PDB file of all heavy atoms in Angstrom:
ATOM      1  N   GLY Q  11      15.880 -12.798  -9.496  1.00 98.00           N
ATOM      2  CA  GLY Q  11      16.760 -13.817 -10.043  1.00 98.00           C
ATOM      3  C   GLY Q  11      17.795 -13.217 -10.971  1.00 98.00           C
ATOM      4  O   GLY Q  11      17.903 -12.000 -11.121  1.00 98.00           O
ATOM      5  N   ILE Q  34       1.040 -15.897   1.756  1.00 98.00           N
ATOM      6  CA  ILE Q  34       0.684 -16.278   0.390  1.00 98.00           C
ATOM      7  C   ILE Q  34       1.906 -16.144  -0.512  1.00 98.00           C
ATOM      8  O   ILE Q  34       2.624 -15.142  -0.446  1.00 98.00           O
ATOM      9  CB  ILE Q  34      -0.439 -15.394  -0.187  1.00 98.00           C
ATOM     10  CG1 ILE Q  34      -1.643 -15.328   0.746  1.00 98.00           C
ATOM     11  CG2 ILE Q  34      -0.865 -15.908  -1.565  1.00 98.00           C
ATOM     12  CD1 ILE Q  34      -2.665 -14.279   0.333  1.00 98.00           C
ATOM     13  N   THR Q  52      -4.445 -11.637  -7.520  1.00 98.00           N
ATOM     14  CA  THR Q  52      -4.708 -12.753  -6.606  1.00 98.00           C
ATOM     15  C   THR Q  52      -4.363 -12.388  -5.170  1.00 98.00           C
ATOM     16  O   THR Q  52      -5.161 -12.615  -4.243  1.00 98.00           O
ATOM     17  CB  THR Q  52      -3.906 -13.988  -7.053  1.00 98.00           C
ATOM     18  OG1 THR Q  52      -4.353 -14.380  -8.356  1.00 98.00           O
ATOM     19  CG2 THR Q  52      -4.079 -15.142  -6.087  1.00 98.00           C
ATOM     20  N   GLY Q  65     -12.377 -14.404  13.367  1.00 81.00           N
ATOM     21  CA  GLY Q  65     -11.373 -15.286  13.939  1.00 81.00           C
ATOM     22  C   GLY Q  65     -11.937 -16.430  14.745  1.00 81.00           C
ATOM     23  O   GLY Q  65     -11.186 -17.299  15.194  1.00 81.00           O
ATOM     24  N   LYS Q  86     -11.878 -13.645 -11.035  1.00 97.00           N
ATOM     25  CA  LYS Q  86     -11.455 -12.295 -11.414  1.00 97.00           C
ATOM     26  C   LYS Q  86     -10.295 -12.330 -12.398  1.00 97.00           C
ATOM     27  O   LYS Q  86     -10.292 -11.596 -13.404  1.00 97.00           O
ATOM     28  CB  LYS Q  86     -11.058 -11.509 -10.166  1.00 97.00           C
ATOM     29  CG  LYS Q  86     -10.666 -10.067 -10.465  1.00 97.00           C
ATOM     30  CD  LYS Q  86     -11.812  -9.287 -11.111  1.00 97.00           C
ATOM     31  CE  LYS Q  86     -11.443  -7.837 -11.341  1.00 97.00           C
ATOM     32  NZ  LYS Q  86     -12.550  -7.080 -11.987  1.00 97.00           N
ATOM     33  N   GLY Q  99      -4.673 -15.907 -21.489  1.00 88.00           N
ATOM     34  CA  GLY Q  99      -3.898 -17.066 -21.065  1.00 88.00           C
ATOM     35  C   GLY Q  99      -3.094 -16.863 -19.798  1.00 88.00           C
ATOM     36  O   GLY Q  99      -2.406 -17.776 -19.344  1.00 88.00           O
ATOM     37  N   THR Q 103       0.148 -19.422  -9.934  1.00 98.00           N
ATOM     38  CA  THR Q 103       0.042 -20.398  -8.858  1.00 98.00           C
ATOM     39  C   THR Q 103      -0.440 -19.659  -7.619  1.00 98.00           C
ATOM     40  O   THR Q 103      -0.376 -18.433  -7.547  1.00 98.00           O
ATOM     41  CB  THR Q 103       1.403 -21.036  -8.542  1.00 98.00           C
ATOM     42  OG1 THR Q 103       2.242 -20.062  -7.882  1.00 98.00           O
ATOM     43  CG2 THR Q 103       2.092 -21.526  -9.802  1.00 98.00           C
ATOM     44  N   THR Q 131      12.659 -33.868  10.360  1.00 92.00           N
ATOM     45  CA  THR Q 131      12.402 -34.133   8.945  1.00 92.00           C
ATOM     46  C   THR Q 131      11.784 -32.930   8.238  1.00 92.00           C
ATOM     47  O   THR Q 131      11.257 -32.016   8.863  1.00 92.00           O
ATOM     48  CB  THR Q 131      11.442 -35.336   8.781  1.00 92.00           C
ATOM     49  OG1 THR Q 131      10.188 -35.010   9.408  1.00 92.00           O
ATOM     50  CG2 THR Q 131      12.018 -36.590   9.407  1.00 92.00           C
ATOM     51  N   GLN Q 134       7.287 -32.214   1.948  1.00 97.00           N
ATOM     52  CA  GLN Q 134       6.503 -31.384   1.038  1.00 97.00           C
ATOM     53  C   GLN Q 134       5.041 -31.742   1.262  1.00 97.00           C
ATOM     54  O   GLN Q 134       4.631 -32.884   1.077  1.00 97.00           O
ATOM     55  CB  GLN Q 134       6.902 -31.643  -0.408  1.00 97.00           C
ATOM     56  CG  GLN Q 134       6.110 -30.791  -1.400  1.00 97.00           C
ATOM     57  CD  GLN Q 134       6.451 -31.094  -2.848  1.00 97.00           C
ATOM     58  OE1 GLN Q 134       7.516 -31.623  -3.152  1.00 97.00           O
ATOM     59  NE2 GLN Q 134       5.536 -30.770  -3.747  1.00 97.00           N
ATOM     60  N   LEU Q 141       2.965 -31.407 -15.285  1.00 89.00           N
ATOM     61  CA  LEU Q 141       3.018 -32.553 -16.186  1.00 89.00           C
ATOM     62  C   LEU Q 141       3.952 -33.626 -15.660  1.00 89.00           C
ATOM     63  O   LEU Q 141       3.601 -34.817 -15.652  1.00 89.00           O
ATOM     64  CB  LEU Q 141       3.474 -32.087 -17.572  1.00 89.00           C
ATOM     65  CG  LEU Q 141       3.717 -33.190 -18.600  1.00 89.00           C
ATOM     66  CD1 LEU Q 141       2.435 -33.947 -18.907  1.00 89.00           C
ATOM     67  CD2 LEU Q 141       4.306 -32.592 -19.886  1.00 89.00           C
ATOM     68  N   VAL Q 164       5.884 -27.205 -16.872  1.00 85.00           N
ATOM     69  CA  VAL Q 164       4.561 -27.180 -17.492  1.00 85.00           C
ATOM     70  C   VAL Q 164       3.512 -27.474 -16.414  1.00 85.00           C
ATOM     71  O   VAL Q 164       3.493 -28.545 -15.816  1.00 85.00           O
ATOM     72  CB  VAL Q 164       4.461 -28.207 -18.634  1.00 85.00           C
ATOM     73  CG1 VAL Q 164       3.028 -28.245 -19.183  1.00 85.00           C
ATOM     74  CG2 VAL Q 164       5.450 -27.875 -19.742  1.00 85.00           C
ATOM     75  N   ARG Q 167      -2.533 -27.265 -13.665  1.00 96.00           N
ATOM     76  CA  ARG Q 167      -3.635 -26.549 -13.006  1.00 96.00           C
ATOM     77  C   ARG Q 167      -3.113 -25.222 -12.478  1.00 96.00           C
ATOM     78  O   ARG Q 167      -2.117 -25.192 -11.749  1.00 96.00           O
ATOM     79  CB  ARG Q 167      -4.213 -27.357 -11.850  1.00 96.00           C
ATOM     80  CG  ARG Q 167      -5.562 -26.823 -11.353  1.00 96.00           C
ATOM     81  CD  ARG Q 167      -5.956 -27.364  -9.989  1.00 96.00           C
ATOM     82  NE  ARG Q 167      -5.866 -28.814  -9.858  1.00 96.00           N
ATOM     83  CZ  ARG Q 167      -6.047 -29.450  -8.700  1.00 96.00           C
ATOM     84  NH1 ARG Q 167      -6.343 -28.774  -7.610  1.00 96.00           N
ATOM     85  NH2 ARG Q 167      -5.936 -30.769  -8.645  1.00 96.00           N
ATOM     86  N   VAL Q 177      -9.396 -26.531  -5.816  1.00 98.00           N
ATOM     87  CA  VAL Q 177      -8.408 -26.063  -4.844  1.00 98.00           C
ATOM     88  C   VAL Q 177      -8.033 -27.217  -3.922  1.00 98.00           C
ATOM     89  O   VAL Q 177      -8.908 -27.829  -3.309  1.00 98.00           O
ATOM     90  CB  VAL Q 177      -8.968 -24.897  -4.006  1.00 98.00           C
ATOM     91  CG1 VAL Q 177      -7.916 -24.399  -3.010  1.00 98.00           C
ATOM     92  CG2 VAL Q 177      -9.444 -23.768  -4.910  1.00 98.00           C
ATOM     93  N   ALA Q 186       5.086 -26.129  19.005  1.00 96.00           N
ATOM     94  CA  ALA Q 186       6.221 -25.230  19.200  1.00 96.00           C
ATOM     95  C   ALA Q 186       7.491 -25.816  18.599  1.00 96.00           C
ATOM     96  O   ALA Q 186       7.796 -26.999  18.773  1.00 96.00           O
ATOM     97  CB  ALA Q 186       6.411 -24.964  20.685  1.00 96.00           C
ATOM     98  N   LEU Q 191       7.568 -23.634   5.405  1.00 98.00           N
ATOM     99  CA  LEU Q 191       8.279 -22.933   4.350  1.00 98.00           C
ATOM    100  C   LEU Q 191       7.400 -22.927   3.111  1.00 98.00           C
ATOM    101  O   LEU Q 191       7.011 -23.982   2.614  1.00 98.00           O
ATOM    102  CB  LEU Q 191       9.618 -23.625   4.060  1.00 98.00           C
ATOM    103  CG  LEU Q 191      10.602 -22.968   3.080  1.00 98.00           C
ATOM    104  CD1 LEU Q 191      12.015 -23.509   3.326  1.00 98.00           C
ATOM    105  CD2 LEU Q 191      10.242 -23.228   1.609  1.00 98.00           C
ATOM    106  N   THR Q 209      19.464 -25.138   6.470  1.00 97.00           N
ATOM    107  CA  THR Q 209      19.398 -23.684   6.625  1.00 97.00           C
ATOM    108  C   THR Q 209      18.410 -23.274   7.706  1.00 97.00           C
ATOM    109  O   THR Q 209      18.729 -22.474   8.593  1.00 97.00           O
ATOM    110  CB  THR Q 209      19.015 -23.030   5.288  1.00 97.00           C
ATOM    111  OG1 THR Q 209      20.019 -23.336   4.308  1.00 97.00           O
ATOM    112  CG2 THR Q 209      18.909 -21.520   5.438  1.00 97.00           C
ATOM    113  N   GLY Q 214      21.090 -18.300  13.345  1.00 96.00           N
ATOM    114  CA  GLY Q 214      20.689 -17.042  12.741  1.00 96.00           C
ATOM    115  C   GLY Q 214      19.224 -16.733  12.936  1.00 96.00           C
ATOM    116  O   GLY Q 214      18.434 -17.575  13.382  1.00 96.00           O
ATOM    117  N   SER Q 217      14.965 -14.042   9.370  1.00 98.00           N
ATOM    118  CA  SER Q 217      15.241 -13.229   8.179  1.00 98.00           C
ATOM    119  C   SER Q 217      16.560 -13.630   7.527  1.00 98.00           C
ATOM    120  O   SER Q 217      16.665 -13.696   6.293  1.00 98.00           O
ATOM    121  CB  SER Q 217      15.279 -11.749   8.543  1.00 98.00           C
ATOM    122  OG  SER Q 217      14.003 -11.278   8.899  1.00 98.00           O
ATOM    123  N   ALA Q 220      15.948 -16.818   5.563  1.00 98.00           N
ATOM    124  CA  ALA Q 220      15.287 -16.553   4.280  1.00 98.00           C
ATOM    125  C   ALA Q 220      16.293 -16.006   3.266  1.00 98.00           C
ATOM    126  O   ALA Q 220      16.293 -16.405   2.096  1.00 98.00           O
ATOM    127  CB  ALA Q 220      14.134 -15.574   4.479  1.00 98.00           C
TER     128      ALA Q 220
END
Side-chain angles (χ1 to χ4, degrees):
I34 308 170
T52 297
K86 183 60 177 179
T103 72
T131 62
Q134 180 183 338
L141 174 63
V164 175
R167 194 196 310 173
V177 181
L191 186 159
T209 299
S217 291

